[in-house]
Amino acid sequence: EVQLVESGGGLVQPGGSLRLSCAASGFTFSNYPMNWVRQAPGKGLEWVSAISAISGSGESTYYADSVKGRFTISRDNSKNTLYLQMNSLRAEDTAVYYCAKEGSTWYYDYWGQGTLVTVSS
Amino acid sequence: EILMTQSPATLSVSPGERATLSCRASQSLSSNLAWYQQKPGQAPRLLIYGASTRTTGIPARFSGSGSGTEFTLTISSLQSEDSAVYYCHQYSHWPPSMYTFGQGTKVEIK
């Protein structure tokens, strides 16, 4: 059974940092691209970042314009864990952050339960 | 950016009746469209990918159709547990930063 379990959310002041983790199990983690998707309170879904599966040329990373230069996605395939380092946080980053596994193409076939990040003074 | 427009914003349907949700894209997607269901306090769940392929474990009353710019999710006989927000998601145009979600359709039980 595929499981994705996020952690690391919490309350942080504007300008602060947090690192989110997503522990994966039930599939060969290194073989699949992984994503972070967020949802602001009462709002819709917004893609945040993606990281490719491991390949001969290394890993590729992608970011939404709204987080580029502030957030860094990474993965540790030895620990089956996905990360999102979030720096220079803003009030508009307040959201539930979900990690999501990609399916055979680029849709998301499994999602974690989410972790809430609140940016407020 | 490819804009995804879902309609209606809210749909109220009686149990056993058909629910038809629409998703329109600003550019052609071929069949690179997925549908997700999200119940209050829960993570989204994949229902349909490739515009019309039901994922494992999804009841047959859920079906997807369409290609290009017009897509439909149909719930053939609405059950009480189908009350949720439904999102379409296009993954047609690389890179991933180009992938976008619709704003959602809330399905209510009348």
Side-chain angles (χ1 to χ4, degrees):
Chain A
E1 179 193 5
V2 172
Q3 285 197 316
L4 300 170
V5 180
E6 300 96 335
S7 60
L11 175 64
V12 62
Q13 292 187 338
S17 298
L18 276 178
R19 187 175 83 154
L20 306 183
S21 300
C22 171
S25 61
F27 65 102
T28 306
F29 178 72
S30 60
N31 287 356
Y32 291 90
M34 296 293 295
N35 291 256
W36 289 98
V37 178
R38 69 184 180 184
Q39 187 171 36
K43 303 296 184 182
L45 301 170
E46 179 190 16
W47 175 82
V48 173
S49 184
I51 186 166
S52 65
I54 193 166
S55 68
S57 56
E59 294 161 348
S60 298
T61 58
Y62 308 89
Y63 299 94
D65 288 344
S66 57
V67 308
K68 198 173 296 182
R70 301 187 297 123
F71 289 12
T72 301
I73 190 172
S74 62
R75 64 193 299 163
D76 185 335
N77 292 326
S78 68
K79 295 182 178 179
N80 289 345
T81 302
L82 176 72
Y83 301 101
L84 186 68
Q85 176 67 44
M86 304 186 296
N87 299 331
S88 303
L89 283 160
R90 306 166 180 168
E92 55 265 35
D93 296 318
T94 293
V96 175
Y97 284 73
Y98 297 100
C99 67
K101 170 188 170 291
E102 286 191 15
S104 56
T105 51
W106 299 290
Y107 56 89
Y108 311 133
D109 58 355
Y110 291 95
W111 299 63
Q113 86 289 349
T115 187
L116 176 62
V117 172
T118 303
V119 184
S120 175
S121 54
Chain B
E1 179 182 333
I2 298 175
L3 296 180
M4 304 298 292
T5 303
Q6 291 187 240
S7 61
T10 303
L11 186 60
S12 185
V13 179
S14 299
E17 296 296 305
R18 176 186 299 261
T20 303
L21 290 66
S22 176
C23 178
R24 176 176 294 178
S26 60
Q27 299 179 36
S28 178
L29 308 179
S30 183
S31 296
N32 296 311
L33 184 107
W35 290 94
Y36 303 91
Q37 176 193 65
Q38 187 178 34
K39 297 181 179 180
Q42 295 185 18
R45 176 176 71 147
L46 175 68
L47 300 176
I48 302 284
Y49 63 93
S52 61
T53 302
R54 256 189 327 274
T55 195
T56 305
I58 300 304
R61 65 179 181 273
F62 291 92
S63 64
S65 62
S67 65
T69 62
E70 299 282 344
F71 300 87
T72 300
L73 175 69
T74 301
I75 310 172
S76 60
S77 178
L78 196 73
Q79 308 296 305
S80 58
E81 61 264 32
D82 300 334
S83 178
V85 179
Y86 293 82
Y87 293 95
C88 61
H89 168 223
Q90 70 82 11
Y91 49 94
S92 180
H93 295 263
W94 187 262
S97 54
M98 297 294 288
Y99 303 158
T100 46
F101 293 92
Q103 80 279 17
T105 290
K106 183 177 183 179
V107 173
E108 298 177 337
I109 307 300
K110 191 182 290 184

